[in-house]
Amino acid sequence: MVRTPHGAVRGRYERGVAVFRGIPYAAPPVGPRRFRPPEPPEPWDGVREAARFGPTAPKPSYSEAFAQYLCDPAIPGDDCLNLNVWTPEPAPGARLPVLVWLHGGALTRGSSAVPVYDGRTFARDGVVCVSVNYRLGIEGYGLFPDAPPNPGLRDQLAALRWVHETIEVFGGDPDRITLGGQSAGAISAGVLLASPHTDGLIRRAVLQSGPPEVSERDKVRRMVRRMATRLKIPATAAAFAAVDRELLLRTQAEVGRLSSPVLGGPAFGIVVDGDLVPRDPLRALVDGDTAQGVDLLMGWTRDEYRLWLVPGGLLEHIDRLGAVAVAGAMARCHAGHEIPRGYRALRPDAGAAEIVGQMVTDHILRVPLHRLADARPATSHLYEFAWPSLRPGLGACHALELGFVFDSGDIPESQKLAGEGAPHGLCDEMHGAWVRFASTGDPGWESWNPTHPVRVFGDGAAYTAHGPRDAEYALWSVNPRTPPSRPASVPRAPGAELASAMRRLRRSVGARRR
């Protein structure tokens, strides 16, 4: 039993580790609290049982194409602003390092109950692990004239503050908190890192396949307006709050089905709000305005795009589209013709899908992380996950590394993406590096420097490569000290030809998905 500021909780021991599940860090976001910033939970009397995961945030289920690879449990209930704690020593005074984990899922799916994120392995190795639920989709990231923006991000901040104020009674050290996440969770962690509201809360950060970024407000508004049009309601928080939640989720899934990292399009995202997010977070971190001295562990998978394109056969479809798909990617990346020509020269045998996928991945993910490392070399460590899945066609795709980071590769939920027989040695290497980083700030290889060291986790023993992506970076003409919003050599807006190609690509992919 542990006493938190709002009441006592009783966890349970599982294989030598104490785990507390479903602890509320904020009040249920229902009624007048819906679409509003989080409020503290009501204190409770007696002892609250914390044996089971708490409710997950409302979300649509994955499509059949993605559900064969990804697991996303849905637990009903209103009290979805909860977290879980795994600790080897639930008592004050242990002062163990802490990892706070934010799940991915494009800010529309995912939860802390995904079995791959089992924090037992971190606690087994001396790190207190905390995983967090936060509001998703329209309720977490809708943009309305009658409600504050970014409530889902504010949920994460509330959880981080709860950890800082409470984790000592679970054996954690509030001065050694590592905030980590993958995909949308990494984007969120990077944005929080850049926020003035987190000063003193974060000692280290792990950004897996997601850079600090914000969305254009109009892009989020278009998502809200399209949902409002289908629902025949005003695009206000009050109107959305009156809609049946299941209908809301179905509408959200239908409106967002053509949005993806490759295709772009209207989608939910974090926006600059003048408060929690006062400016572009990547620029703030590169300029050194915030998070000075915070250690960074950042990286990507070799074939991120394959999770976005392989389900449903989109990879083969884009290969057939050929030049139209490449032109669409140019529009997506605001790129001139020299960019795809450069990728073609580096990959003369690649099909259109690989050119498109790697180009978009570099534009939205690798180049920003490279830029951030250039600005903070002494405290940055970079990695690439290059082991290919045993499932056909996936390669080293987006999210594949999670089972290795959490050393949960043997469970069925990890095998949905990795296949059966993932190498245990690779689990040991990656998980051990993350444990070392959370504990000391040094994952076990040299920090960023002019030789651009990247730790490669693939077949065989991990090794350090120097400048493995430098040829691609050079194509974008990025100046890390004054990062442009798009490559400096490219006009501000794509031409009519590229915009037309993007529209044709969307229509073609939309027809394929139907």
Side-chain angles (χ1 to χ4, degrees), residues 99-313:
L99 172 64
V100 177
W101 182 255
L102 303 177
H103 67 80
L107 300 178
T108 57
R109 294 177 174 88
S111 78
S112 67
V114 172
V116 179
Y117 308 143
D118 188 344
R120 183 192 64 83
T121 55
F122 278 98
R124 176 199 68 195
D125 295 328
V127 177
V128 178
C129 184
V130 181
S131 60
V132 178
N133 282 335
Y134 54 92
R135 278 174 284 183
L136 303 168
I138 189 71
E139 297 197 33
Y141 297 92
L143 195 54
F144 303 102
D146 56 338
N150 299 322
L153 188 70
R154 295 176 189 277
D155 294 343
Q156 296 168 1
L157 175 62
L160 185 60
R161 286 175 169 162
W162 185 97
V163 172
H164 192 264
E165 295 167 1
T166 310
I167 203 63
E168 191 169 1
V169 300
F170 291 91
D173 184 348
D175 296 324
R176 283 200 291 167
I177 293 175
T178 298
L179 180 63
Q182 184 267 345
S183 193
I187 293 170
S188 301
V191 174
L192 288 173
L193 187 66
S195 174
H197 289 257
T198 62
D199 285 348
L201 300 182
I202 304 169
R203 179 65 186 85
R204 302 182 178 100
V206 177
L207 309 183
Q208 296 176 214
S209 300
E213 69 174 17
V214 287
S215 296
E216 297 175 8
R217 295 175 75 91
D218 186 58
K219 180 178 177 180
V220 180
R221 284 198 185 99
R222 288 203 309 274
M223 187 74 170
V224 174
R225 285 196 297 265
R226 290 184 183 187
M227 289 185 64
T229 299
R230 284 177 178 260
L231 293 166
K232 297 182 172 59
I233 60 172
T236 64
F240 272 82
V243 177
D244 173 76
R245 183 166 270 162
E246 289 303 316
L247 174 60
L248 205 59
L249 293 177
R250 288 198 302 272
T251 305
Q252 176 183 301
E254 178 63 23
V255 169
R257 68 187 175 86
L258 291 185
S259 297
S260 78
V262 173
L263 298 174
F268 294 112
I270 300 164
V271 298
V272 172
D273 60 18
D275 174 30
L276 182 56
V277 191
R279 60 178 296 210
D280 180 270
L282 179 61
R283 289 178 180 271
L285 290 169
V286 167
D287 291 345
D289 292 351
T290 186
Q292 284 294 326
V294 173
D295 301 318
L296 298 174
L297 174 58
M298 305 179 289
W300 49 78
T301 71
R302 185 191 62 197
D303 308 309
E304 299 273 1
Y305 69 95
R306 287 186 170 268
L307 184 63
W308 309 326
L309 298 183
V310 168

